[in-house]
Every structure is written in structure tokens, then in C-alpha cells.
Amino acid sequence: MFLYIYRSCRIFFSPKGSVSETNIGITGSRGGIFIQIIPLTLESSFAEGSVNAFLVVGETVTLVDTGNLDGSSFEQLKRLIALEGYGLSDLDHIILTHMHIDHSGGVARIQNEVSIPVYVHEKARHVIEGGEEEFTREQAFYQEFLHRSGAAITERKTQSYRELNWQEIRYVKENEYIKMGGSDFIVEYLPGHSQTDLLFYNQEGLALAGDLLLPDISVNAFIEPPDPGTAEKPKTLLQYRKSLKKMHKLPLKAVYPGHGHVITNHKALVEKRLAEHDKRCSRILAVLEEGDATVYQLCQKIYPKLKGSAVYLGLSQIQGHLELLEVRGKTICQQRNAIDIYSIRT
């Protein structure tokens, strides 16, 4: 295997795979086919400040993720694609790492201009095809979660239903192969941050990982509703930790994340993120030593600066770590007036 610089400020690997420079793009070769992965960094109103989409260029041109829903993000995406010498008409298809709006928001706008398919994990089917009924079911779950957490309903922004209007949807699942730039990438289903999280990697160890692992911040394993027709919600932090451990074992040379710069030592970063979970668990236990508490009370003590709708992010973080502590036999949960009260198991 070898990778080489194809333009200034790109990252490249020597024949032995050592990193020679770190910045933004990678080119790989196997069997005479060259693959370029080109980051397209878009401005974002979310906390991260920016979000990455990618062009995978080889025999064809594939777009991975699409940026936000708004028109300004879409226009910026088109400008960045044009700066690389391509247009929307050059794309063979769109691939989504997950369904969060800052990664999937531009699909309909792209498909309004060019007729190309979009690939997404099969778990997205009920969201895409369920319409307003599925949206209402999910919103009811989030409101119930806020109540059980002991938080005010206003701690989460009211969401309005928007019809997706996507065309040519192709659902993928784990261990399939998908073409990017005309080359095969393996599909890995690694849920936790969302229920539709995918990682794609090729034989050279180049990976596109969405928000599974970010270089500068620890990822939130967002609380999500049960699948339609089921009663038990997923324990998302437990899922996420399992996914990180699975990622740790993968033979990856470079990981392109949904936010931030390329990651060239994913194993060390995975270990750091897992250790951060343990530290948060210790902080929660320290608060519970002072007495029983709701998820909201724990959130207020551990994340006192969170206000308004941002509190929901903290509640989701605390809930996930409480579930981890329960599995470890450290805490118990009892309900009082339909509100979850947590205490240390004695």
C-alpha cells in the first residue's frame, strides 16, 4: 500500500504507513485505482461550529454526507465541490454516515437538482417512510423522557414536522460493500451516537466514520425512542461503547470524522474516550454520595452552565452514564410520581 500527496496541504503515508504530514486529504492506490478523499468543511450553527462532508474521487465521484438543511449550507457545499473541479452532475450517489440533520439535511436539495440515489442504514427506514405519525411518536417519547428526568418540558426545543421528500433511497446493512469513487468500502454498523451510525473503510484502512469518533470532543450517545412496535428504548451509551471497542479492532490508517481533522491514531483516541466515560461515572457517583437524585438534578450539578434547550444534551449524557452504572451494579433506579430517582446500590 502507498499513499501520496496530490495537492498542497494534504496528508500522506509512506509505504510503511507512517504519517508524514497531517492536514486534510488522502489519496490511496490499490490495484491501479487511485482514490482521493477530499473534506468539504461547512459552517454550522451547531455547537461544533462546522461539519464535514466528503468527496471520494476515483473512477467516479461520491458525496459522503450533505451538510445542514438550510439553503446557505447547500450553496456553500456546491461552491466547495466546484472548487475541487466538480459539480453535482458529476456525483454518482450520496452516502450518509447517519441521519442527524447536520449530515443529512442537504439530500432533498441535491436531489432536486440531480437524480442520484442516497444510501443510508436500514434503521432509518421508519424515520424516512413513517411520516408525521412516526415523528409524533418520537416527540412523545422525548417529552416523556424529560418528565421522567424531572426536567421541565421547555428544556427541549419544540420540533416541527418536515417531510423529507427524498428520492431513490437505498438501505444498507452491516458487512455489505458499497462503492465510493468506484472502489469498494466495507459497511460497519456502529450505533450509539445515533441508531443509524455507519463507518465505511477500504482495504487500505481509509475510513469515513461520521460522528462515531471525533478528534476534539467526546461524542454524546443521544437518548432515542424504541423502534416502532417495541417497548424498550436502546441503551445508547452501552451501544456506543461496544461500537468504539469494535472500531478499536479495525485496521484503520486514517479516519475522516464528521467534525474536525483527520484522525491517524484511532486506537489511542478510542481508549481516551472510554476512559472519559469512566471519569463521568465517578463524578455521578460522587454526587449520589450526597443523596438520591433525578437525572435533571445530576445534570444541574455536573453541567451547571447548561441552559434552555442545551440542558437536553446534558440529560442525555447523564442518562447514558446512569445506565452504564446500573449495568456495573453501582446504582439503582426507583420511580416516584413517574419520575426516575437514582441512588447508590448498597
Side-chain angles (χ1 to χ4, degrees):
M1 170 194 137
F2 68 93
L3 302 169
Y4 72 104
I5 296 179
Y6 64 92
R7 57 175 24 184
S8 62
C9 297
R10 302 297 187 183
I11 181 173
F12 68 94
F13 286 81
S14 70
K16 293 184 179 180
S18 60
V19 178
S20 301
E21 182 179 339
T22 57
N23 205 317
I24 55 173
I26 290 182
T27 305
S29 169
R30 181 171 291 273
I33 299 175
F34 291 98
I35 297 296
Q36 300 176 351
I37 300 179
I38 305 173
L40 309 170
T41 301
L42 306 165
E43 296 174 1
S44 173
S45 60
F46 290 92
E48 297 87 353
S50 66
V51 61
N52 296 330
F54 298 93
L55 290 179
V56 183
V57 180
E59 292 181 339
T60 63
V61 182
T62 303
L63 179 66
V64 180
D65 287 347
T66 66
N68 285 300
L69 183 68
D70 59 278
S72 61
S73 178
F74 177 57
E75 292 303 319
Q76 187 181 14
L77 176 68
K78 289 200 294 183
R79 286 197 301 272
L80 291 175
I81 292 174
L83 285 174
E84 298 296 338
Y86 304 102
L88 296 184
S89 61
D90 294 307
L91 303 177
D92 57 354
H93 48 259
I94 303 164
I95 295 174
L96 298 180
T97 60
H98 61 301
M99 282 290 291
H100 286 172
I101 196 67
D102 54 334
H103 296 265
S104 66
V107 171
R109 292 180 185 274
I110 293 170
Q111 291 185 327
N112 282 340
E113 295 200 11
V114 292
S115 180
I116 55 174
V118 55
Y119 289 79
V120 64
H121 189 261
E122 59 185 353
K123 277 276 190 176
R125 185 186 296 272
H126 65 271
V127 175
I128 295 171
E129 301 179 9
E132 192 166 6
E133 181 179 351
E134 173 60 18
F135 172 82
T136 301
R137 182 188 76 89
E138 292 185 355
Q139 294 306 304
F141 166 83
Y142 294 127
Q143 298 304 314
E144 181 187 3
F145 169 64
L146 286 173
H147 178 76
R148 291 184 59 167
S149 298
I153 298 300
T154 55
E155 300 294 8
R156 186 172 186 269
K157 287 183 180 179
T158 301
Q159 304 289 315
S160 300
Y161 172 69
R162 281 194 188 93
E163 190 174 358
L164 286 178
N165 291 318
W166 291 6
Q167 308 297 321
E168 296 186 64
I169 303 160
R170 313 283 169 80
Y171 296 107
V172 300
K173 55 188 176 182
E174 188 169 35
N175 295 327
E176 291 184 344
Y177 285 85
I178 194 165
K179 293 286 187 183
M180 294 192 197
S183 181
D184 284 335
F185 280 71
I186 302 169
V187 178
E188 292 282 355
Y189 177 53
L190 299 173
H193 175 63
S194 81
Q195 295 305 293
T196 56
D197 292 322
L198 293 172
L199 178 146
F200 309 95
Y201 73 100
N202 66 5
Q203 292 181 5
E204 292 181 312
L206 305 183
L208 296 110
D211 289 356
L212 177 64
L213 187 68
L214 303 182
D216 300 319
I217 59 173
S218 182
V219 171
N220 200 329
F222 290 109
I223 296 300
E224 295 207 28
D227 288 340
T230 63
E232 186 175 353
K233 71 172 182 61
K235 294 183 177 180
T236 53
L237 185 61
L238 300 183
Q239 280 185 327
Y240 181 58
R241 287 174 61 82
K242 182 178 179 180
S243 292
L244 284 179
K245 291 173 183 177
K246 185 175 180 180
M247 182 187 188
H248 189 276
K249 297 177 181 178
L250 296 178
L252 307 180
K253 295 289 186 181
V255 177
Y256 282 87
H259 306 270
H261 57 80
V262 65
I263 298 164
T264 55
N265 188 353
H266 74 289
K267 291 181 183 292
L269 188 54
V270 165
E271 291 163 8
K272 179 181 178 182
R273 296 292 181 245
L274 292 172
E276 288 169 349
H277 297 159
D278 293 334
K279 289 179 182 178
R280 289 193 201 101
C281 284
S282 296
R283 291 181 67 189
I284 290 171
L285 288 174
V287 175
L288 290 177
E289 289 284 357
E290 302 170 5
D292 299 353
T294 65
V295 176
Y296 181 73
Q297 289 168 336
L298 289 165
C299 182
Q300 290 292 288
K301 290 196 174 184
I302 293 174
Y303 303 117
K305 294 183 179 180
L306 291 181
K307 303 297 179 185
S309 59
V311 172
Y312 183 83
L313 304 179
L315 295 174
S316 190
Q317 186 87 288
I318 296 295
Q319 181 66 52
H321 286 76
L322 285 167
E323 290 170 354
L324 177 57
L325 285 167
E326 281 191 276
V327 167
R328 291 175 172 179
K330 300 293 186 180
T331 61
I332 58 173
C333 177
Q334 296 177 313
Q335 277 205 344
R336 299 174 196 166
N337 299 320
I339 295 176
D340 293 338
I341 309 294
Y342 287 86
S343 58
I344 293 178
R345 181 182 292 275
T346 57

